[in-house]
Amino acid sequence: MNYLFPLIAILIWAGNTVVTKMSAGAIHPAEIGFYRWLLAGLLFTPFLLPQVWRNRAAVGPHLGKVFVLGVLGMAMYQSLAYFAASITSATNMGIILSLMPLMSLALSIAWLGQRLSYGALLGALVSFFGVLEVVSAGQPAALLHQGLNRGDLMMLLATLAYALYSFLLKKWQLRLPPLQLLYLQVLVAIIVLLPLFVLSDKTGLNGHNIGLVLYACVLASMVAPLVWMQAVHRLGPSRTTLFFNLLPVVTAVIAAAVLDEQLASYHLYGGLLTLAGVLLAERWTTPVRRTL
């Protein structure tokens, strides 16, 4: 029963990658990015604002760090994904996003003093070739002449932003209730994205895009984080993180069913290589240098 919590979260987030792709052309990226967090903030406020106010003495010293987290994890990550969706496929987005745990591990090795393992070294190399296979559509040599698709590049930057977000969460260990921390980051995203929303073109909410906004807000921004927190509480962070590796597979299946995206052989080979690399990094923890 406990395993349902991370599985539900992964299913929602994979669906959100497909929803992000569906939003391309239906609503301007800056609009859905802003509306998503604005609606989440409005729904959270009656329940969480009184709690945050009562806890203001503990919240105050962390506001600078909360702002950085909100920019990286809420505003920058998802906004880049919305802009990338008009140029690349949902399947590509899911496979690139699966690099996030490996990127976060690399940051931990570089800045937290975590020991470099053989799995991290080999996993990084294997995952690199996996993503290279996907973003080059099975022709890595062509990248030398054509360069990287702008959508894939934006998705790589989005994944790096979320990896940095995850790394900073681990490094800072903010002693705030998880829901209050989530709510504060949502408020940061609203403030940061407001100028982009004001200056961007407007599609407006209509019958074709309101469902996409509601999915991104209610399910991806509110329900998924709550069930993921429950998973961490019940299974522990290490076991829960392993479920993140299912994201590219679930995304590809949903994209094929909903968007009729064709699964090419390079998606299969690249996705398997990327997944194998991440699993190697997570499971093979023998340090490169043993302490004498």
Side-chain angles (χ1 to χ4, degrees):
M1 182 66 179
N2 288 340
Y3 293 108
L4 281 177
F5 289 94
L7 286 172
I8 290 171
I10 291 301
L11 185 62
I12 292 173
W13 281 328
N16 189 56
T17 303
V18 174
V19 165
T20 299
K21 178 63 181 176
M22 292 171 67
S23 72
I27 185 171
H28 193 276
E31 279 186 289
I32 187 170
F34 178 73
Y35 286 140
R36 168 188 183 169
W37 298 119
L38 178 64
L39 182 54
L42 291 173
L43 292 174
F44 271 141
T45 291
F47 308 101
L48 292 174
L49 182 59
Q51 296 179 29
V52 169
W53 180 251
R54 287 193 297 268
N55 199 30
R56 61 188 181 278
V59 170
H62 300 302
L63 283 178
K65 293 176 179 177
V66 169
F67 181 81
V68 173
L69 292 172
V71 169
L72 288 171
M74 308 294 170
M76 188 174 176
Y77 159 66
Q78 192 60 64
S79 291
L80 282 169
Y82 284 130
F83 280 97
S86 61
I87 311 172
T88 191
S89 68
T91 303
N92 277 29
M93 291 169 70
I95 292 173
I96 292 170
L97 185 56
S98 69
L99 281 176
M100 192 279 292
L102 189 59
M103 290 181 175
S104 185
L105 175 62
L107 291 168
S108 296
I109 291 170
W111 281 294
L112 291 184
Q114 186 167 329
R115 297 293 299 275
L116 177 64
S117 67
Y118 287 108
L121 273 176
L122 183 58
L125 186 63
V126 171
S127 289
F128 171 77
F129 282 110
V131 170
L132 194 64
E133 178 77 4
V134 171
V135 300
S136 66
Q139 298 178 321
L143 285 181
L144 296 175
H145 306 289
Q146 301 172 3
L148 194 64
N149 177 300
R150 284 193 301 120
D152 292 333
L153 178 59
M154 281 191 282
M155 199 61 208
L156 277 169
L157 291 174
T159 303
L160 180 58
Y162 203 78
L164 184 55
Y165 167 81
S166 301
F167 161 74
L168 291 175
L169 270 179
K170 180 179 179 180
K171 179 182 179 182
W172 287 338
Q173 298 279 318
L174 301 184
R175 296 187 179 279
L176 295 174
L179 273 179
Q180 292 183 32
L181 181 58
L182 174 64
Y183 173 62
L184 289 168
Q185 292 173 74
V186 168
L187 295 183
V188 169
I190 294 170
I191 295 169
V192 170
L193 292 175
L194 178 58
L196 181 62
F197 169 76
V198 171
L199 295 173
S200 70
D201 296 330
K202 304 293 187 299
T203 304
L205 294 174
N206 54 53
H208 298 293
N209 58 37
I210 188 66
L212 305 177
V213 175
L214 289 173
Y215 185 104
C217 168
V218 177
L219 291 177
S221 303
M222 300 175 72
V223 175
L226 289 175
V227 295
W228 190 259
M229 288 175 195
Q230 275 295 313
V232 171
H233 174 71
R234 292 165 180 258
L235 300 173
S238 298
R239 291 166 70 190
T240 303
T241 302
L242 288 174
F243 283 86
F244 198 85
N245 298 318
L246 294 172
L247 186 63
V249 178
V250 179
T251 301
V253 170
I254 297 175
V258 176
L259 303 176
D260 292 325
E261 287 191 4
Q262 298 299 312
L263 292 178
S265 59
Y266 63 81
H267 285 127
L268 176 62
Y269 301 144
L272 287 175
L273 281 172
T274 305
L275 178 59
V278 174
L279 288 173
L280 272 172
E282 290 177 346
R283 309 307 291 175
W284 189 12
T285 57
T286 306
V288 172
R289 293 182 181 178
R290 292 187 178 278
T291 312
L292 297 177

